Amino acid sequence: MTSLIHPSDTSTQPRARSYRDHQRPLWQRILFSRDLAVWVALVVVYLYASATVPFFDRPITITYLLLDVAPILLIALPMTLVIITGEIDLSVASTVALASVSFGVLYDKGTPIVLAAVAALLVGIVCGAFNGFLVTVVGLPSLAVTIGTLALYRGIAVGLLGTTAITDFPDGWTDWARGRIGESDIPSIMIPFAVLAIVFIVLLHFTAFGRGVYAIGLNEGAARFSGIRVERTKLVLFMLTGVVSALAGIYYTLRYGSARGDNANGMELQVIAAVLLGGVSIFGGRGALPGVIAGVLLIGAIGSALRLADQTADVINIVTGLLLVVSVVGSSVLGWVSSKRRSRGAPDAPSGTTQSTPPQPHNNTTLTDPDGPVGEREREDR
Amino acid sequence: MSTATPTVTTPAPPPPPSTGARVRKLLQARETGIVLAFLVVLAVTTAINPSFLFSKDGWRDLFLTPSILVVLAVGQAIVIITRNVDLSVGSILGLVAYATGRLFVDTGLPILVVLLLGILFGVALGLINGALVAFAKVPALVITLGTLYVYRGVMMSWAGSDRINASDIPSGLLSFGTSSILWIPSLAWISFVVLAIGAYLMGRTRGGREMYAIGSDPDAATLYGLQKTKRTLLAFAASGGLAGLAGVMYVARYGTISSGAGLGIEFEAVGAAVIGGVAIFGGSGTVLGAAVGAYLLMTINRGLPILGIQDFWQRAVVGLLIIVAIVLDKVLKDRQHKKLLAERDAA
């Protein structure tokens, strides 16, 4: 941990401390937040697609949309916390596949299905703990670690089953995974998702642990010195990501009725794209769960609207990629514009608030963080 | 930025190192370990099955299989050294491969022109990445994740359901893809040339060394007055251009191009670079290491069936290798750090 105080930082007059995000009334803060923007985009896309795309406003569309995005919704919850601490986990889809294969193989060998499911969840916890161990105890960058475990877990999953698939699961379970809540159009999987979403929202936004998650992302050194158990927090988050990925793996297996080594191929990229679209900063320290949930639904809604409009998967790929690039570049450009405006108007504004504004030239305390996030913590001055 | 210009006194050039010191340095180099690992894998598999190395096919595959990954790994190493990462190389490879295929089908341009166009197309795609990263100040991971989707999507919508088959590709290119010069496949020669140029530029030229400086400490590099934007752009252009070249090599080698060309190869390229000692935090490692990492990966992949391991387990071995490599790096780094501290305290 070395903090570089720039020579230019020794300013002559002490600045008054002010928190820009608390200078405005609450309604303004809510109205101009990134989360709300994603929700608005979601509503706009939904209304537009309902008006222009045939069959999009049918209830069955919503059912299938939710069934399709359920695994991504589930994994996005813990992934959000991991990215807010400035780490990343690219091995989630491989964990999904490994849990799916473990679940299938154990059930095939005659284990009661409940035990097989519990064992699959344990596999997920072990996968997450291994990631967390390498990142926190050994002190390796999570990007490199999880690229390694992406190949490792996927390799074990493919190795266990080869090219075969296990397909005979009890009808009761598969029907539940494809079924709906009573007579409504909402899939049953939304019940566990809602429970988990509430748990994670409370954990991130209403507990000391959650504040610690933000603190670690904003400034790991400061968090450590204020008594936050950085290593333990990160380890817990990686384990949570593992277990939720395993849960998504069990759901995936039951919904498609097959356990295969190549299940959920490429899903890690979809999850990360959705989380970043939902307003979580890859630098860590910024983001909120409601926005992330809207981000996942937005990608899902655009995808299903395009499918119904007879567009193929490739257009959906292009739109997903463009959305991701535009959303991050857009927030970067907005930050630049507002910092220009502020530096012309008010003489100063402390950086490090909720906006991803790059620090202004006259107050930048750059932290070069040896165990920082994805190998890209560079906030530089212009 | 108000920076006081520091007065720099140029130190006298150090005396040339003795032969013993040179040998010791070579033995301690990170690349030496990777080369040794590669030779061990080669020796073990050849001992079990001599045809792995001493048959015509074995000898050819030893060089031919890694050639495309070597080119990608060199590009990836350059980007990682500048503290970025390029996840879009697999999509660039696929898109350029399809574009070259289309050019052959739709136009009568000579082979060389098409190849150059393919590489230029790759450079252009890389520049898009670089511009977004350098000007928007957004981490490369996010940008290249986005362009991974976009480029792949463009390729798929362009290709639709039709594939390009070997019958559409000029026979000259296909026979080049399978030909050999001096007992070594031509495609491997291309990868050697790329490696030599990359190693020279990164190791011996000012621009290359500036990339290391930017990767190891961006703030210090900015204060020192290095042109970060330009170097970032160049790094991504190099990575894109090399991915484009890899796409052309893909056409020459396989002839058939479907929408899955290059799918998922970006993780192998990053893996090869990381195994070869290029730290994900930038500022260290060499393109030579990354290339040897690619050789190690591919040779293990081919050697597994001979060792009696089903090739389904290939990816698991790759993952394990990556993890072992970064743990090893960390251990070595910590030891060196302790040694330096001890030296400082002793002084």
Side-chain angles (χ1 to χ4, degrees), chain B residues 21-30 32:
Chain B
R22 273 200 184 142
V23 170
R24 207 171 315 127
K25 200 174 163 195
L26 184 71
L27 282 179
Q28 282 175 340
R30 177 70 169 68
T32 314

Side-chain angles (χ1 to χ4, degrees), chain A residues 314 318, chain B residues 72 88-103 114 117-126 128-129 147-160 164 240 243-248 250-251 257-263 265-266:
Chain A
D314 44 71
I318 297 180
Chain B
L72 286 176
S88 66
V89 287
S91 301
I92 294 181
L93 185 154
L95 186 52
V96 170
Y98 190 78
T100 20
R102 275 258 73 96
L103 280 173
V114 172
L117 284 175
I119 295 170
L120 281 178
F121 187 33
V123 170
L125 294 173
I128 294 177
N129 286 336
T147 51
L148 176 152
Y149 276 112
V150 175
Y151 297 163
R152 176 70 55 187
V154 168
M155 176 205 175
M156 282 160 71
S157 60
W158 190 11
I164 292 203
L245 175 63
V248 174
Y250 186 95
V251 177
I257 307 145
S258 62
S259 60
L263 201 65
I265 205 171
E266 57 273 349

Side-chain angles (χ1 to χ4, degrees), chain B residues 212-237:
Chain B
Y212 278 94
I214 287 165
S216 87
D217 192 337
D219 300 306
T222 313
L223 285 175
Y224 192 71
L226 302 185
Q227 294 169 301
K228 216 179 123 183
T229 309
K230 183 175 140 191
R231 296 279 161 231
T232 309
L233 276 174
L234 273 175
F236 276 100

Side-chain angles (χ1 to χ4, degrees), chain B residues 29 42 45 62 65 70 94 136 138-140 167 183 190 193 234 240 301-302 343 347:
Chain B
L42 204 57
T45 39
L62 173 69
T65 317
V70 166
V138 180
S167 53
W183 307 284
I190 294 185
V193 170
L234 273 175
N301 274 357
R302 285 193 315 116
E343 276 177 16

Side-chain angles (χ1 to χ4, degrees), chain A residues 20 34 39 53 98 108 110 126 132 134-135 150 269 276 326 346:
Chain A
R20 210 182 56 246
R34 173 72 195 258
W39 280 107
V53 179
L98 187 51
D108 199 46
V126 171
L134 288 173
V135 172
L150 176 150
L269 300 179
L276 297 175
V326 167

Side-chain angles (χ1 to χ4, degrees), chain A residues 269 282 332 366 375 378 380, chain B residues 83 136-137 139 145 219 228 330:
Chain A
L269 300 179
I282 191 85
S332 167
T366 318
E378 40 181 274
E380 36 159 84
Chain B
R83 202 183 272 206
K137 311 271 190 247
L145 178 63
D219 300 306
K228 216 179 123 183
K330 172 83 181 167

